[in-house]
PDB file of all heavy atoms in Angstrom:
ATOM      1  N   GLY B  16      86.027  89.727 123.902  1.00  0.00           N
ATOM      2  CA  GLY B  16      85.893  88.959 122.649  1.00  0.00           C
ATOM      3  C   GLY B  16      87.244  88.721 121.997  1.00  0.00           C
ATOM      4  O   GLY B  16      87.519  87.624 121.491  1.00  0.00           O
ATOM      5  N   SER B  17      88.107  89.741 122.018  1.00  0.00           N
ATOM      6  CA  SER B  17      89.438  89.589 121.404  1.00  0.00           C
ATOM      7  C   SER B  17      90.272  88.557 122.181  1.00  0.00           C
ATOM      8  O   SER B  17      91.115  87.863 121.596  1.00  0.00           O
ATOM      9  CB  SER B  17      90.159  90.928 121.317  1.00  0.00           C
ATOM     10  OG  SER B  17      90.456  91.400 122.604  1.00  0.00           O
ATOM     11  N   ALA B  18      90.018  88.446 123.490  1.00  0.00           N
ATOM     12  CA  ALA B  18      90.708  87.410 124.276  1.00  0.00           C
ATOM     13  C   ALA B  18      90.276  86.025 123.791  1.00  0.00           C
ATOM     14  O   ALA B  18      91.103  85.103 123.678  1.00  0.00           O
ATOM     15  CB  ALA B  18      90.375  87.562 125.760  1.00  0.00           C
ATOM     16  N   TYR B  19      88.986  85.905 123.470  1.00  0.00           N
ATOM     17  CA  TYR B  19      88.492  84.605 122.971  1.00  0.00           C
ATOM     18  C   TYR B  19      89.087  84.302 121.585  1.00  0.00           C
ATOM     19  O   TYR B  19      89.468  83.167 121.294  1.00  0.00           O
ATOM     20  CB  TYR B  19      86.964  84.617 122.911  1.00  0.00           C
ATOM     21  CG  TYR B  19      86.397  83.275 122.504  1.00  0.00           C
ATOM     22  CD1 TYR B  19      86.583  82.142 123.301  1.00  0.00           C
ATOM     23  CD2 TYR B  19      85.686  83.133 121.314  1.00  0.00           C
ATOM     24  CE1 TYR B  19      86.078  80.911 122.924  1.00  0.00           C
ATOM     25  CE2 TYR B  19      85.179  81.899 120.936  1.00  0.00           C
ATOM     26  CZ  TYR B  19      85.380  80.791 121.749  1.00  0.00           C
ATOM     27  OH  TYR B  19      84.903  79.562 121.357  1.00  0.00           O
ATOM     28  N   VAL B  20      89.197  85.344 120.751  1.00  0.00           N
ATOM     29  CA  VAL B  20      89.797  85.159 119.409  1.00  0.00           C
ATOM     30  C   VAL B  20      91.260  84.714 119.562  1.00  0.00           C
ATOM     31  O   VAL B  20      91.736  83.830 118.857  1.00  0.00           O
ATOM     32  CB  VAL B  20      89.684  86.465 118.573  1.00  0.00           C
ATOM     33  CG1 VAL B  20      90.376  86.300 117.220  1.00  0.00           C
ATOM     34  CG2 VAL B  20      88.229  86.833 118.370  1.00  0.00           C
ATOM     35  N   HIS B  21      91.957  85.317 120.528  1.00  0.00           N
ATOM     36  CA  HIS B  21      93.346  84.908 120.819  1.00  0.00           C
ATOM     37  C   HIS B  21      93.379  83.457 121.310  1.00  0.00           C
ATOM     38  O   HIS B  21      94.238  82.665 120.909  1.00  0.00           O
ATOM     39  CB  HIS B  21      93.960  85.841 121.842  1.00  0.00           C
ATOM     40  CG  HIS B  21      95.289  85.373 122.358  1.00  0.00           C
ATOM     41  ND1 HIS B  21      96.418  85.322 121.563  1.00  0.00           N
ATOM     42  CD2 HIS B  21      95.656  84.918 123.578  1.00  0.00           C
ATOM     43  CE1 HIS B  21      97.425  84.847 122.287  1.00  0.00           C
ATOM     44  NE2 HIS B  21      96.988  84.594 123.516  1.00  0.00           N
ATOM     45  N   PHE B  22      92.421  83.105 122.157  1.00  0.00           N
ATOM     46  CA  PHE B  22      92.330  81.735 122.670  1.00  0.00           C
ATOM     47  C   PHE B  22      92.164  80.742 121.517  1.00  0.00           C
ATOM     48  O   PHE B  22      92.739  79.645 121.519  1.00  0.00           O
ATOM     49  CB  PHE B  22      91.139  81.645 123.639  1.00  0.00           C
ATOM     50  CG  PHE B  22      90.811  80.247 124.082  1.00  0.00           C
ATOM     51  CD1 PHE B  22      91.597  79.597 125.004  1.00  0.00           C
ATOM     52  CD2 PHE B  22      89.706  79.583 123.548  1.00  0.00           C
ATOM     53  CE1 PHE B  22      91.294  78.303 125.409  1.00  0.00           C
ATOM     54  CE2 PHE B  22      89.394  78.294 123.958  1.00  0.00           C
ATOM     55  CZ  PHE B  22      90.193  77.647 124.879  1.00  0.00           C
ATOM     56  N   LEU B  23      91.404  81.159 120.498  1.00  0.00           N
ATOM     57  CA  LEU B  23      91.190  80.287 119.326  1.00  0.00           C
ATOM     58  C   LEU B  23      92.401  80.283 118.387  1.00  0.00           C
ATOM     59  O   LEU B  23      92.360  79.664 117.327  1.00  0.00           O
ATOM     60  CB  LEU B  23      89.945  80.732 118.552  1.00  0.00           C
ATOM     61  CG  LEU B  23      88.614  80.605 119.299  1.00  0.00           C
ATOM     62  CD1 LEU B  23      87.493  81.191 118.463  1.00  0.00           C
ATOM     63  CD2 LEU B  23      88.311  79.153 119.647  1.00  0.00           C
ATOM     64  N   ASN B  24      93.449  81.028 118.796  1.00  0.00           N
ATOM     65  CA  ASN B  24      94.681  81.094 118.009  1.00  0.00           C
ATOM     66  C   ASN B  24      94.546  81.872 116.712  1.00  0.00           C
ATOM     67  O   ASN B  24      95.259  81.633 115.752  1.00  0.00           O
ATOM     68  CB  ASN B  24      95.183  79.664 117.716  1.00  0.00           C
ATOM     69  CG  ASN B  24      96.688  79.601 117.692  1.00  0.00           C
ATOM     70  OD1 ASN B  24      97.346  80.570 118.093  1.00  0.00           O
ATOM     71  ND2 ASN B  24      97.244  78.508 117.216  1.00  0.00           N
ATOM     72  N   ASN B  25      93.596  82.794 116.674  1.00  0.00           N
ATOM     73  CA  ASN B  25      93.400  83.603 115.464  1.00  0.00           C
ATOM     74  C   ASN B  25      93.889  85.048 115.646  1.00  0.00           C
ATOM     75  O   ASN B  25      93.650  85.880 114.786  1.00  0.00           O
ATOM     76  CB  ASN B  25      91.910  83.625 115.093  1.00  0.00           C
ATOM     77  CG  ASN B  25      91.447  82.273 114.614  1.00  0.00           C
ATOM     78  OD1 ASN B  25      92.210  81.512 114.020  1.00  0.00           O
ATOM     79  ND2 ASN B  25      90.199  81.932 114.907  1.00  0.00           N
ATOM     80  N   LEU B  26      94.527  85.305 116.769  1.00  0.00           N
ATOM     81  CA  LEU B  26      95.030  86.670 117.032  1.00  0.00           C
ATOM     82  C   LEU B  26      96.309  86.530 117.861  1.00  0.00           C
ATOM     83  O   LEU B  26      96.304  85.809 118.865  1.00  0.00           O
ATOM     84  CB  LEU B  26      93.975  87.460 117.813  1.00  0.00           C
ATOM     85  CG  LEU B  26      94.255  88.931 118.121  1.00  0.00           C
ATOM     86  CD1 LEU B  26      94.194  89.761 116.838  1.00  0.00           C
ATOM     87  CD2 LEU B  26      93.222  89.479 119.120  1.00  0.00           C
ATOM     88  N   SER B  27      97.381  87.188 117.392  1.00  0.00           N
ATOM     89  CA  SER B  27      98.648  87.029 118.129  1.00  0.00           C
ATOM     90  C   SER B  27      98.571  87.694 119.499  1.00  0.00           C
ATOM     91  O   SER B  27      97.707  88.548 119.736  1.00  0.00           O
ATOM     92  CB  SER B  27      99.792  87.651 117.324  1.00  0.00           C
ATOM     93  OG  SER B  27      99.690  89.049 117.404  1.00  0.00           O
ATOM     94  N   GLU B  28      99.508  87.316 120.373  1.00  0.00           N
ATOM     95  CA  GLU B  28      99.488  87.855 121.733  1.00  0.00           C
ATOM     96  C   GLU B  28      99.724  89.369 121.727  1.00  0.00           C
ATOM     97  O   GLU B  28      99.031  90.109 122.432  1.00  0.00           O
ATOM     98  CB  GLU B  28     100.565  87.153 122.555  1.00  0.00           C
ATOM     99  CG  GLU B  28     100.431  87.477 124.029  1.00  0.00           C
ATOM    100  CD  GLU B  28     101.298  86.585 124.921  1.00  0.00           C
ATOM    101  OE1 GLU B  28     102.058  85.749 124.391  1.00  0.00           O
ATOM    102  OE2 GLU B  28     101.210  86.729 126.141  1.00  0.00           O
ATOM    103  N   VAL B  29     100.692  89.790 120.887  1.00  0.00           N
ATOM    104  CA  VAL B  29     101.003  91.228 120.835  1.00  0.00           C
ATOM    105  C   VAL B  29      99.785  92.011 120.349  1.00  0.00           C
ATOM    106  O   VAL B  29      99.417  93.061 120.917  1.00  0.00           O
ATOM    107  CB  VAL B  29     102.223  91.472 119.906  1.00  0.00           C
ATOM    108  CG1 VAL B  29     102.499  92.957 119.759  1.00  0.00           C
ATOM    109  CG2 VAL B  29     103.448  90.749 120.442  1.00  0.00           C
ATOM    110  N   ALA B  30      99.140  91.484 119.318  1.00  0.00           N
ATOM    111  CA  ALA B  30      97.957  92.176 118.771  1.00  0.00           C
ATOM    112  C   ALA B  30      96.840  92.222 119.817  1.00  0.00           C
ATOM    113  O   ALA B  30      96.182  93.247 119.990  1.00  0.00           O
ATOM    114  CB  ALA B  30      97.476  91.448 117.530  1.00  0.00           C
ATOM    115  N   PHE B  31      96.665  91.115 120.546  1.00  0.00           N
ATOM    116  CA  PHE B  31      95.626  91.090 121.586  1.00  0.00           C
ATOM    117  C   PHE B  31      95.909  92.140 122.655  1.00  0.00           C
ATOM    118  O   PHE B  31      95.007  92.877 123.074  1.00  0.00           O
ATOM    119  CB  PHE B  31      95.527  89.699 122.229  1.00  0.00           C
ATOM    120  CG  PHE B  31      94.822  89.742 123.548  1.00  0.00           C
ATOM    121  CD1 PHE B  31      93.457  90.005 123.606  1.00  0.00           C
ATOM    122  CD2 PHE B  31      95.516  89.571 124.740  1.00  0.00           C
ATOM    123  CE1 PHE B  31      92.806  90.096 124.829  1.00  0.00           C
ATOM    124  CE2 PHE B  31      94.878  89.651 125.960  1.00  0.00           C
ATOM    125  CZ  PHE B  31      93.508  89.912 126.003  1.00  0.00           C
TER     126      PHE B  31
END
Side-chain angles (χ1 to χ4, degrees):
Chain B
S17 66
Y19 184 63
V20 177
H21 171 67
F22 172 75
L23 296 175
N24 214 11
N25 291 328
L26 184 70
S27 74
E28 191 168 4
V29 176
F31 162 70

